[in-house]
Short mmCIF file of all heavy atoms in Angstrom, two decimals:
data_model
loop_
_atom_site.label_atom_id
_atom_site.label_comp_id
_atom_site.label_asym_id
_atom_site.label_seq_id
_atom_site.Cartn_x
_atom_site.Cartn_y
_atom_site.Cartn_z
N ALA A 1344 -20.85 14.79 -2.86
CA ALA A 1344 -21.55 15.60 -3.85
C ALA A 1344 -21.36 14.96 -5.27
O ALA A 1344 -20.36 14.55 -5.58
CB ALA A 1344 -21.09 17.00 -3.79
N ILE A 1345 -22.43 15.16 -6.07
CA ILE A 1345 -22.29 14.78 -7.44
C ILE A 1345 -22.00 16.10 -8.23
O ILE A 1345 -22.86 17.00 -8.24
CB ILE A 1345 -23.47 14.13 -8.06
CG1 ILE A 1345 -23.79 12.87 -7.22
CG2 ILE A 1345 -23.25 13.70 -9.52
CD1 ILE A 1345 -24.91 11.98 -7.80
N ASP A 1346 -20.78 16.18 -8.75
CA ASP A 1346 -20.39 17.38 -9.52
C ASP A 1346 -20.87 17.37 -10.96
O ASP A 1346 -21.14 16.28 -11.48
CB ASP A 1346 -18.83 17.46 -9.45
CG ASP A 1346 -18.27 18.85 -9.63
OD1 ASP A 1346 -19.07 19.73 -9.92
OD2 ASP A 1346 -17.04 19.00 -9.52
N ASP A 1347 -20.98 18.58 -11.52
CA ASP A 1347 -21.35 18.68 -12.95
C ASP A 1347 -22.67 17.92 -13.30
O ASP A 1347 -22.82 17.29 -14.34
CB ASP A 1347 -20.22 18.20 -13.87
CG ASP A 1347 -18.92 18.86 -13.67
OD1 ASP A 1347 -18.97 19.98 -13.00
OD2 ASP A 1347 -17.87 18.43 -14.12
N PHE A 1348 -23.60 17.95 -12.37
CA PHE A 1348 -24.85 17.17 -12.48
C PHE A 1348 -25.61 17.67 -13.69
O PHE A 1348 -25.78 18.86 -13.92
CB PHE A 1348 -25.72 17.31 -11.20
CG PHE A 1348 -26.87 16.37 -11.22
CD1 PHE A 1348 -26.70 14.97 -10.95
CD2 PHE A 1348 -28.12 16.76 -11.58
CE1 PHE A 1348 -27.71 14.07 -11.00
CE2 PHE A 1348 -29.20 15.86 -11.64
CZ PHE A 1348 -28.96 14.50 -11.32
N GLY A 1349 -26.05 16.76 -14.48
CA GLY A 1349 -26.86 17.06 -15.68
C GLY A 1349 -26.05 16.86 -16.95
O GLY A 1349 -26.58 16.80 -18.05
N THR A 1350 -24.72 16.63 -16.81
CA THR A 1350 -23.95 16.47 -18.01
C THR A 1350 -23.63 14.99 -18.29
O THR A 1350 -23.22 14.62 -19.39
CB THR A 1350 -22.57 17.20 -17.93
OG1 THR A 1350 -21.88 16.71 -16.73
CG2 THR A 1350 -22.75 18.68 -17.84
N GLY A 1351 -23.83 14.17 -17.28
CA GLY A 1351 -23.59 12.76 -17.50
C GLY A 1351 -24.90 11.98 -17.78
O GLY A 1351 -25.88 12.65 -18.17
N TYR A 1352 -24.92 10.68 -17.48
CA TYR A 1352 -26.09 9.93 -17.72
C TYR A 1352 -26.56 9.34 -16.42
O TYR A 1352 -26.16 8.25 -16.08
CB TYR A 1352 -25.96 8.86 -18.77
CG TYR A 1352 -25.38 9.43 -20.03
CD1 TYR A 1352 -24.04 9.46 -20.32
CD2 TYR A 1352 -26.31 9.80 -21.00
CE1 TYR A 1352 -23.60 9.96 -21.57
CE2 TYR A 1352 -25.86 10.32 -22.23
CZ TYR A 1352 -24.45 10.42 -22.47
OH TYR A 1352 -24.05 10.92 -23.65
N SER A 1353 -27.31 10.09 -15.65
CA SER A 1353 -27.73 9.58 -14.38
C SER A 1353 -28.84 8.57 -14.49
O SER A 1353 -29.78 8.76 -15.27
CB SER A 1353 -28.26 10.69 -13.53
OG SER A 1353 -27.20 11.33 -12.89
N SER A 1354 -28.72 7.52 -13.75
CA SER A 1354 -29.86 6.58 -13.66
C SER A 1354 -30.57 7.00 -12.43
O SER A 1354 -29.93 6.97 -11.31
CB SER A 1354 -29.37 5.19 -13.67
OG SER A 1354 -30.08 4.43 -12.70
N LEU A 1355 -31.83 7.35 -12.50
CA LEU A 1355 -32.55 7.79 -11.30
C LEU A 1355 -32.60 6.61 -10.30
O LEU A 1355 -32.57 6.84 -9.06
CB LEU A 1355 -33.93 8.28 -11.65
CG LEU A 1355 -33.90 9.58 -12.48
CD1 LEU A 1355 -35.30 9.99 -12.80
CD2 LEU A 1355 -33.16 10.70 -11.81
N ALA A 1356 -32.69 5.35 -10.83
CA ALA A 1356 -32.72 4.22 -9.98
C ALA A 1356 -31.47 4.09 -9.07
O ALA A 1356 -31.52 3.84 -7.90
CB ALA A 1356 -32.87 2.90 -10.81
N ARG A 1357 -30.34 4.44 -9.68
CA ARG A 1357 -29.10 4.39 -8.88
C ARG A 1357 -28.97 5.59 -7.96
O ARG A 1357 -28.53 5.50 -6.88
CB ARG A 1357 -27.87 4.41 -9.87
CG ARG A 1357 -27.60 3.04 -10.45
CD ARG A 1357 -26.12 2.83 -10.73
NE ARG A 1357 -25.36 2.71 -9.54
CZ ARG A 1357 -24.05 3.05 -9.46
NH1 ARG A 1357 -23.45 3.62 -10.51
NH2 ARG A 1357 -23.40 2.87 -8.40
N LEU A 1358 -29.43 6.77 -8.48
CA LEU A 1358 -29.32 8.02 -7.71
C LEU A 1358 -30.01 7.79 -6.33
O LEU A 1358 -29.56 8.21 -5.26
CB LEU A 1358 -29.93 9.12 -8.51
CG LEU A 1358 -29.77 10.53 -7.92
CD1 LEU A 1358 -28.26 10.83 -7.79
CD2 LEU A 1358 -30.46 11.59 -8.80
N LYS A 1359 -31.17 7.14 -6.43
CA LYS A 1359 -32.02 6.89 -5.25
C LYS A 1359 -31.16 6.18 -4.16
O LYS A 1359 -31.36 6.40 -2.99
CB LYS A 1359 -33.19 6.03 -5.66
CG LYS A 1359 -34.17 5.74 -4.59
CD LYS A 1359 -35.46 5.06 -5.14
CE LYS A 1359 -35.16 3.55 -5.51
NZ LYS A 1359 -36.40 2.79 -5.74
N TYR A 1360 -30.30 5.31 -4.56
CA TYR A 1360 -29.55 4.48 -3.59
C TYR A 1360 -28.17 4.99 -3.24
O TYR A 1360 -27.53 4.51 -2.32
CB TYR A 1360 -29.38 3.01 -4.12
CG TYR A 1360 -30.77 2.28 -4.08
CD1 TYR A 1360 -31.31 1.95 -5.36
CD2 TYR A 1360 -31.40 2.06 -2.93
CE1 TYR A 1360 -32.57 1.31 -5.28
CE2 TYR A 1360 -32.66 1.43 -2.99
CZ TYR A 1360 -33.19 1.01 -4.17
OH TYR A 1360 -34.41 0.38 -4.15
N LEU A 1361 -27.67 5.96 -4.06
CA LEU A 1361 -26.28 6.44 -3.79
C LEU A 1361 -26.21 7.23 -2.47
O LEU A 1361 -27.12 7.99 -2.21
CB LEU A 1361 -25.82 7.32 -4.94
CG LEU A 1361 -25.33 6.58 -6.21
CD1 LEU A 1361 -25.11 7.54 -7.37
CD2 LEU A 1361 -24.11 5.83 -5.90
N PRO A 1362 -25.17 7.01 -1.76
CA PRO A 1362 -25.05 7.73 -0.46
C PRO A 1362 -24.70 9.17 -0.52
O PRO A 1362 -23.73 9.62 0.09
CB PRO A 1362 -24.06 6.88 0.26
CG PRO A 1362 -23.14 6.40 -0.78
CD PRO A 1362 -23.95 6.24 -2.02
N VAL A 1363 -25.27 9.99 -1.47
CA VAL A 1363 -24.83 11.32 -1.67
C VAL A 1363 -25.72 12.36 -0.91
O VAL A 1363 -26.84 12.08 -0.51
CB VAL A 1363 -24.82 11.74 -3.16
CG1 VAL A 1363 -23.79 10.93 -3.92
CG2 VAL A 1363 -26.21 11.66 -3.79
N ASP A 1364 -25.07 13.53 -0.63
CA ASP A 1364 -25.75 14.56 0.14
C ASP A 1364 -26.06 15.78 -0.68
O ASP A 1364 -26.87 16.62 -0.28
CB ASP A 1364 -24.79 15.02 1.26
CG ASP A 1364 -24.37 13.92 2.10
OD1 ASP A 1364 -25.05 13.55 3.07
OD2 ASP A 1364 -23.31 13.34 1.76
N GLU A 1365 -25.43 15.90 -1.89
CA GLU A 1365 -25.46 17.16 -2.63
C GLU A 1365 -25.41 16.98 -4.14
O GLU A 1365 -24.68 16.09 -4.58
CB GLU A 1365 -24.24 18.05 -2.13
CG GLU A 1365 -24.11 19.37 -2.87
CD GLU A 1365 -22.85 20.08 -2.28
OE1 GLU A 1365 -22.80 20.37 -1.08
OE2 GLU A 1365 -21.95 20.30 -3.09
N LEU A 1366 -26.22 17.76 -4.87
CA LEU A 1366 -26.09 17.78 -6.32
C LEU A 1366 -25.55 19.19 -6.69
O LEU A 1366 -26.08 20.18 -6.26
CB LEU A 1366 -27.41 17.61 -7.06
CG LEU A 1366 -28.16 16.22 -6.82
CD1 LEU A 1366 -29.40 16.22 -7.74
CD2 LEU A 1366 -27.27 15.05 -7.14
N LYS A 1367 -24.50 19.21 -7.57
CA LYS A 1367 -24.03 20.53 -8.07
C LYS A 1367 -24.40 20.64 -9.51
O LYS A 1367 -24.04 19.86 -10.39
CB LYS A 1367 -22.55 20.58 -7.97
CG LYS A 1367 -22.00 20.51 -6.56
CD LYS A 1367 -20.48 20.92 -6.45
CE LYS A 1367 -20.27 22.43 -6.51
NZ LYS A 1367 -18.84 22.76 -6.28
#
Side-chain angles (χ1 to χ4, degrees):
I1345 305 189
D1346 204 353
D1347 303 345
F1348 190 77
T1350 56
Y1352 302 94
S1353 276
S1354 138
L1355 294 180
R1357 280 208 73 210
L1358 188 58
K1359 185 171 76 167
Y1360 291 113
L1361 279 171
V1363 295
D1364 305 273
E1365 176 181 300
L1366 296 187
K1367 294 192 82 171

